[in-house]
Amino acid sequence: MTIDTIVFDFGGVLIDWNPRHYYKNVFKDDDKMEWFLNNVCPPDWNLEQDRGRPFSEAIAIAKNKYPDLSKEIEDYYNQWEYMLNGEIPGTVQILNALAQNYKIYGLTNWSAETFPVALKKYSFLSLLDGIVVSGDEKLIKPDPQIFQVLLKRYNLQAESCVFIDDNLQNIETAKTLGFNAIHFTDAENLKKELASLNLNI
């Protein structure tokens, strides 16, 4: 089947999001910052917001456990925009080139409450033909169901899509569903992988 569609993950592929971009200015000490991000507001805590849990609920849970860090916990939402550090070098240029010849979609694990900030901040997202946000769907990758949401909503065939993600679990799920999947490491390798599929970039 001819490839006519490209599906991008966002964080770690197109957008450099990392709470360390903000918290390095809060803690001034890397060990304290890492302890906070591994114990107080760890990745699995944040992933529940990607799954649809409201930040207000998440913050209340964390503050209940660590009341002495209430301000720092609240900042995870209040200062969220400062966790964005611009585009991943080179990838947006690839997206722009692909958009000339292919349909482009997004499939992202992202909180429904914070995604509008990214949508406003990054004009290249307006190039996409459609976006599925995990927080809106109450589903997160690598659950196959969220891939099915994308396929059904936009009337896509997995075999005609290239799926690009920096998370290997998500890549494995995509492959089992029939997607042509590329594990993203950097823009140069992405170009090579796309060229190996005979895509015009």
Side-chain angles (χ1 to χ4, degrees), residues 4-90:
D4 60 14
T5 303
I6 316 294
V7 181
F8 279 93
D9 170 45
F10 292 162
V13 175
L14 291 166
I15 298 169
D16 180 9
W17 176 87
N18 192 317
R20 289 164 183 80
H21 296 315
Y22 172 72
Y23 282 108
K24 68 184 179 183
N25 299 312
V26 173
F27 288 103
K28 312 294 185 186
D29 179 305
D30 284 352
D31 289 341
K32 288 179 181 176
M33 177 184 71
E34 292 302 327
W35 183 86
F36 178 85
L37 293 174
N38 285 297
N39 295 278
V40 184
C41 296
D44 58 344
W45 173 87
N46 182 62
L47 196 61
E48 290 309 306
Q49 283 76 271
D50 290 354
R51 200 196 301 271
R53 178 173 68 182
F55 262 99
S56 58
E57 184 182 327
I59 287 167
I61 290 168
K63 283 169 67 175
N64 188 52
K65 284 181 167 178
Y66 300 98
D68 292 348
L69 291 165
S70 290
K71 168 70 165 61
E72 291 84 353
I73 293 165
E74 289 170 359
D75 282 355
Y76 206 101
Y77 178 68
N78 295 335
Q79 304 297 324
W80 182 89
E81 183 177 355
Y82 300 102
M83 300 178 193
L84 296 168
N85 193 43
E87 302 169 2
I88 299 290

Side-chain angles (χ1 to χ4, degrees), residues 75-195:
D75 282 355
Y76 206 101
Y77 178 68
N78 295 335
Q79 304 297 324
W80 182 89
E81 183 177 355
Y82 300 102
M83 300 178 193
L84 296 168
N85 193 43
E87 302 169 2
I88 299 290
T91 323
V92 174
Q93 287 85 343
I94 293 172
L95 182 152
N96 286 327
L98 290 168
Q100 306 301 311
N101 299 297
Y102 304 95
K103 293 180 290 183
I104 310 287
Y105 293 90
L107 179 60
T108 183
N109 282 355
W110 209 298
S111 161
E113 291 176 275
T114 56
F115 186 68
V117 177
L119 202 56
K120 185 178 178 182
K121 192 175 180 72
Y122 298 108
S123 59
F124 66 82
L125 293 175
S126 65
L127 292 173
L128 276 66
D129 295 286
I131 300 170
V132 171
V133 177
S134 65
D136 289 328
E137 309 303 328
K138 309 296 192 287
L139 294 166
I140 53 172
K141 295 177 289 181
D143 188 333
Q145 283 185 271
I146 195 168
F147 290 85
Q148 297 293 358
V149 168
L150 173 81
L151 296 173
K152 186 174 180 182
R153 181 168 300 161
Y154 299 112
N155 194 28
L156 305 174
Q157 300 296 318
E159 293 79 7
S160 69
C161 298
V162 174
F163 174 70
I164 302 163
D165 200 302
D166 62 324
N167 183 300
L168 268 173
Q169 283 185 296
N170 301 340
I171 291 295
E172 291 307 317
T173 295
K175 286 179 177 177
T176 65
L177 295 171
F179 285 85
N180 302 278
I182 295 174
H183 180 224
F184 179 83
T185 54
D186 59 48
E188 283 308 308
N189 278 316
L190 177 58
K191 277 185 185 177
K192 291 174 186 172
E193 295 276 4
L194 291 166

